[in-house]
Amino acid sequence: MKRFQFELQPLLGLKKQQQAEAQMRQLKMRMHLDTVRQQLKALEDQLDAMANQQSERLGVPVPAAQFVLQSQSSDQLRDWIVEVRNREQQSESDYQQAAADYARITAAVEALESLRNAEWNEYVKQSARERQRELDETVLRRWRYPNDANMEVQSDG
C-alpha cells in the first residue's frame, strides 16, 4: 500500500501561512485602533478639564489675553478631536477588513483540513480493506492447498 499523500498539502501550507499573517494583521489593526481610542479619550478628557476650569471661573474677570489663549486652546483641542475621530473611523474600518480577511482565510484552511481528514479516513479504510483482502487470500490458499502450507512450514524448519 502506498503512503498517504494529500495532493493539496502545498495549498494547505500556503493557506495556513496566510492565516497566520492575517491573524497578525488583525492583531496589529486592533492594537492601532485601541491606541487611537486612547488618544481620543485623552483629548476629550483634556477638553472636559478645560471646560470645568472655565465653568469654575464663571463670573471671575479674566484678562483678554488669557481668554483668547483659552479659546484658541479649546478650539485646537476640538480640531484634534475631530482629526482623531476620523482616524478612529479609519482604524475601525481597517480592523473590520482585517477581521473579515482572517475569517475568510480561516474558512479556507478549515475546508482544506476537512478535505484532508476525509481523504485520510478513506485512505485508512482502503488500507484496512486491502489488508483484509490479503489475509483472506492467504487463509483461502492455506485452506485449499493444505499440503502447500505444510511444505512451507516444513521447509522453514
Side-chain angles (χ1 to χ4, degrees):
M1 177 89 197
K2 68 178 190 171
R3 293 180 53 185
F4 175 73
Q5 183 176 352
F6 182 55
E7 298 292 327
L8 298 176
Q9 188 64 41
L11 179 62
L12 177 59
L14 176 66
K15 289 296 182 184
K16 282 186 174 187
Q17 181 181 1
Q18 289 175 344
Q19 181 185 31
E21 291 169 0
Q23 185 177 28
M24 290 302 295
R25 183 172 186 278
Q26 180 184 12
L27 180 61
K28 181 181 173 184
M29 291 297 111
R30 182 60 198 204
M31 289 171 52
H32 181 70
L33 177 60
D34 290 344
T35 301
V36 170
R37 286 182 174 162
Q38 289 172 354
Q39 291 171 350
L40 181 60
K41 179 159 179 19
L43 289 172
E44 288 172 340
D45 290 348
Q46 214 175 348
L47 186 62
D48 287 344
M50 188 178 286
N52 288 337
Q53 285 176 351
Q54 288 177 354
S55 67
E56 289 174 1
R57 294 185 189 152
L58 205 56
V60 177
V62 177
Q66 186 179 353
F67 177 77
V68 169
L69 184 61
Q70 288 175 348
S71 178
Q72 288 174 345
S73 294
S74 64
D75 288 345
Q76 182 66 44
L77 271 175
R78 283 188 203 97
D79 291 345
W80 286 343
I81 287 172
V82 168
E83 180 183 321
V84 173
R85 281 186 181 151
N86 289 337
R87 285 195 348 234
E88 178 189 30
Q89 289 175 350
Q90 183 60 48
S91 294
E92 178 70 32
S93 175
D94 292 346
Y95 172 71
Q96 293 299 329
Q97 182 61 47
D101 290 346
Y102 176 70
R104 180 181 45 80
I105 292 171
T106 297
V109 167
E110 289 172 356
L112 286 168
E113 286 177 338
S114 177
L115 181 60
R116 184 185 190 284
N117 289 339
E119 286 186 19
W120 169 254
N121 290 337
E122 185 56 37
Y123 171 81
V124 168
K125 288 178 188 176
Q126 182 64 29
S127 295
R129 282 191 295 266
E130 285 185 25
R131 280 192 300 261
Q132 185 61 48
R133 183 183 48 79
E134 290 170 1
L135 183 60
D136 290 348
E137 286 176 3
T138 302
V139 168
L140 185 60
R141 232 186 346 263
R142 288 184 180 174
W143 181 74
R144 283 187 179 165
Y145 309 106
N147 292 336
D148 289 345
N150 288 337
M151 286 182 178
E152 287 177 20
V153 173
Q154 290 172 358
S155 11
D156 288 343

